[in-house]
Amino acid sequence: MLIIRDVTKIYKTQKQKEVKALDQINYEFDEQGFYAILGKSGSGKSTLLNLIAGLDKPTSGEIILNGKSFSDFKRKDLDAYRNSCVGFIFQEFNLFDNLDVYKNVALALELQGRKAKVEEIEKVLDRVGISDLIHRNINELSGGQKQRVAIARALIKNPKIIIADEPTGALDQETTNEIFDLLKGLSKEYLVIVVTHNEEYANQYAEHILHLSDGKQKEQVELTNKPLEAGMELEYKKSLSIFSSLKMGFSNLKISIVRLVLCILLTTMAFSSLGFCLSLNFYSRIDIIYGSCEKTSFQDPITISCYNRPDENESWMMGLNNSNEIMDKIKKNTQLDFRVFNDSYTVGDFYIESSDTSNDFLSLFNPQGIVEIDEAYLKQLNFTITGTFPQSDDEILITEYYYNTFARYGFENEEIQLNAGEVTKEKIIGQKIYCSDLRSQQKKSLKICGILDTKLDLKPYEKLTEEDIKIDNEIVTISESIARIKQCSLHCPIYMRKDAIAAAFGPNIISSKLIGPIIRDKRTIQVLIDYLKTESNSTNKYEIRFGISDKLDTIIDNLNLIQSYMAVFGGVLMCFSIFLLFSLLNFTIENKKQEMGILRALGAKGKNLFFIYSSEAIYISGISLIFSFVCCSVLLCWMNNYLMKTENILVSVYHFSFLTYFLLFIIALVSTIVAITIPVLRVIKRTPAEAIHMEIK
Ligand code: ADP
Ligand code: MG
């Protein structure tokens, strides 16, 4: 069934010298029987055996199995042949010391993708006479017992051919007899090919002997030409599953703790910084805006900032003089009723006249601007007035927020001085305040005619103001903080009646903002954003802002800068950790070359080895990946908290989204594959025989 025809094997040594290990060998094996390959050391016995076992390829000539030449075998066929047809027994046993007897035998089955059954293994151990040793460790066995385990491991696969390379080379005479007896018994059922240099044993046991000397065979053999009955078909068994391969790699893990920790640390740092960068990319402006509005029960109306520039080469300036036009357009296209907000930057500076008293009062009353309103609009907003609606152009409404500030810290002008506690609404209504017009340098006198309740609820901001007090006890700090929170909202301007601004400050007022109604759904916010995009062009620009922080864009710009640094940092670290993984694997694999060869001879496929020996890197990456998920989440959490405290953003700006997890996973996968492929492939590409040989010699 197995024919060797004109087989020559030439090895190339490292110095490019050629060694002819086999020279034109012709031979034929039957389906059963005891065959010995006899010869002195170096005569080519192992070489021939490796060729028969499909562990190596001949330089020329053919090995024919049931009429089909190995040279026609695809890789898959050869794997199947090794995996299911051949049971290989080595001189040095080549058992796995870290597994016990049971597991060593079971491994051969697992390599066929089968689950080992206890009875099956007991039966085979019984057959080789060591059923009582089933749970022994390998290093607790004698040489003869070890070889029996090796034979059991070959038999469990139920092979067609049993191949043994000097199986008794390391054993004493008595044990040698026993092993030969055992093999002899098996040769009734199997084709048994045994390599030996002991002529006595060969003559005593073998029915056929192939004498080798310096790669040549002594007696010529005429090959039969009779047609072959197709006795043996290749069985394509499944192979070791990826999971089992990884598990096996894990039990083999012998990496030092320091190396492991270092590797995980570096890889975690690399993954974390990359993950962090990715997360910074995935913030959603609309979600932040909406989330923030929601957190504050939609008290912070959206504002629209307007910018203009005369031509494209100049920088953007805040402000527009046709604000009313865009206000009308927005109303027409989105049904949203915005109001022009003339802020203190464009109109003037407000203060309470008290000439040389403390400056604190000035900052206490520092309205963000002026809004012109009519009573209908106030009704629409559900705002209520104590006092009266402005009847003349110099009358103003102040908001409840400012009234509360006065109540807390007192009120003072040329006519009246009220301490905290003395302030009442009645006393405040009718008081004069001043506004200095920045452009005309004039001082305008205005009269408070009423207090507008804008239904401001400071509860959501409580934490922020508390923090401020704890850190710094100065009043100014507190009021500034709140003022910032309220920047651009309807809670902090002063209100005048229609056309009063032009009357007080002249007709050509520039305004930089539109201040709007409360929008209670995300979709409308999006509609507005989209509309403003269509209205923006190369000279006019409209940006949506929300009350909580005018600074969101600056923050995000800064973060984007951090992000690019982090990306470079992460990239460099990534290269380092790939290199570290790479050298780690190289080291491991160099030390396990022989083991890989043995597994190969036992029927492991290239794929199995790939997973067994890259498991180390896979575990390291896996653990690092999990760690970096945690690190990223913590980092982002800290970041959000920081933004909340320092920038008054009440919602999480950054999220560790599914997409980030996924992309990070892909990065980890790719980098691990890069790190493992080269070292592992280098070994897999080597023929199994070469790998085993290195150690056996
Ligand atoms: P045996 O098993 O009979 O002792 P081998 O088959 O191992 O002999 O070796 C036959 C010859 O081929 C020897 O001269 C050996 O040095 C040489 N040889 C075996 N393997 C290699 C190899 N991988 N590279 C170079 N030479 C080899
Ligand atoms: Mg040999």
Side-chain angles (χ1 to χ4, degrees), residues 107 140 144 171 197 222 227 247 249 255 269 273 295 388 401 413 460 483 550 577 612 624 626 647 664 692 697:
L107 177 66
E140 295 163 355
L171 303 177
H197 58 262
E222 280 294 310
K247 207 172 96 189
I255 179 173
M269 273 167 71
S273 24
K295 256 266 160 60
T388 56
Y401 169 73
N413 65 10
D550 224 8
S577 68
I612 294 173
S624 306
I626 292 170
E647 306 296 342
L664 205 53
I692 311 171
K697 283 189 93 178

Side-chain angles (χ1 to χ4, degrees), residues 478-603:
I478 301 163
S479 69
E480 247 179 20
S481 170
I482 300 170
R484 211 164 101 223
I485 293 166
K486 297 292 119 231
Q487 206 172 26
C488 312
S489 76
L490 285 168
H491 306 296
C492 295
I494 57 171
Y495 290 85
M496 294 175 105
R497 70 173 190 176
K498 242 177 152 37
D499 302 326
I501 296 177
F505 303 101
N508 297 317
I509 294 293
I510 294 172
S511 76
S512 58
K513 286 188 193 93
L514 298 175
I515 195 156
I518 292 157
I519 302 176
R520 290 193 193 277
D521 68 299
K522 218 164 168 175
R523 209 184 51 81
T524 312
I525 295 177
Q526 189 63 58
V527 165
L528 182 63
I529 290 175
D530 291 342
Y531 176 71
L532 291 177
K533 256 190 211 136
T534 65
E535 277 297 323
S536 295
N537 54 37
S538 60
T539 52
N540 290 338
K541 189 168 77 172
Y542 307 98
E543 268 179 10
I544 187 163
R545 289 177 182 277
F546 63 108
I548 273 198
S549 179
D550 224 8
K551 290 199 154 184
L552 186 67
D553 289 333
T554 338
I555 295 163
I556 284 161
D557 280 349
N558 288 337
L559 286 176
N560 285 347
L561 202 69
I562 296 175
Q563 184 188 351
S564 25
Y565 286 127
M566 290 285 274
V568 174
F569 180 66
V572 171
L573 280 184
M574 200 67 243
C575 293
F576 264 120
S577 68
I578 288 179
F579 178 74
L580 202 69
L581 278 180
F582 176 86
S583 51
L584 193 78
L585 271 176
N586 245 345
F587 177 81
T588 315
I589 285 166
E590 278 306 308
N591 283 316
K592 286 189 174 167
K593 261 185 214 155
Q594 191 206 355
E595 198 178 293
M596 292 175 112
I598 297 165
L599 280 173
R600 212 66 211 278
L602 293 180

Side-chain angles (χ1 to χ4, degrees), residues 624-649:
S624 306
L625 194 65
I626 292 170
F627 280 176
S628 60
F629 285 162
V630 176
C631 280
C632 274
S633 309
V634 170
L635 211 61
L636 289 175
C637 203
W638 172 82
M639 187 87 169
N640 281 327
N641 263 332
Y642 178 80
L643 290 177
M644 212 153 158
K645 289 225 175 86
T646 60
E647 306 296 342
N648 304 329
I649 297 176

Side-chain angles (χ1 to χ4, degrees), residues 81-96:
Y81 170 67
R82 256 202 315 268
N83 192 297
S84 59
C85 283
V86 181
F88 206 103
I89 299 160
F90 305 86
Q91 176 180 350
E92 303 291 340
F93 325 123
N94 287 334
L95 298 170
F96 290 93

Side-chain angles (χ1 to χ4, degrees), residues 9-14 17-22 37-50 56 165-166 195-197 212 214-215 687 689-691 693-694 696-697:
K9 176 73 188 178
I10 298 169
Y11 288 113
K12 278 208 176 71
T13 59
Q14 273 169 347
K17 269 196 186 162
E18 293 194 344
V19 179
K20 207 177 225 179
L22 289 176
I37 300 175
L38 186 63
K40 282 195 280 221
S41 175
S43 56
K45 305 182 297 290
S46 297
T47 305
L48 182 59
L49 212 57
N50 287 338
D56 207 351
D165 193 352
E166 310 217 25
V195 157
T196 178
H197 58 262
L212 281 182
D214 283 339
T687 63
E690 283 174 291
H693 216 95
M694 278 173 213
I696 291 177
K697 283 189 93 178

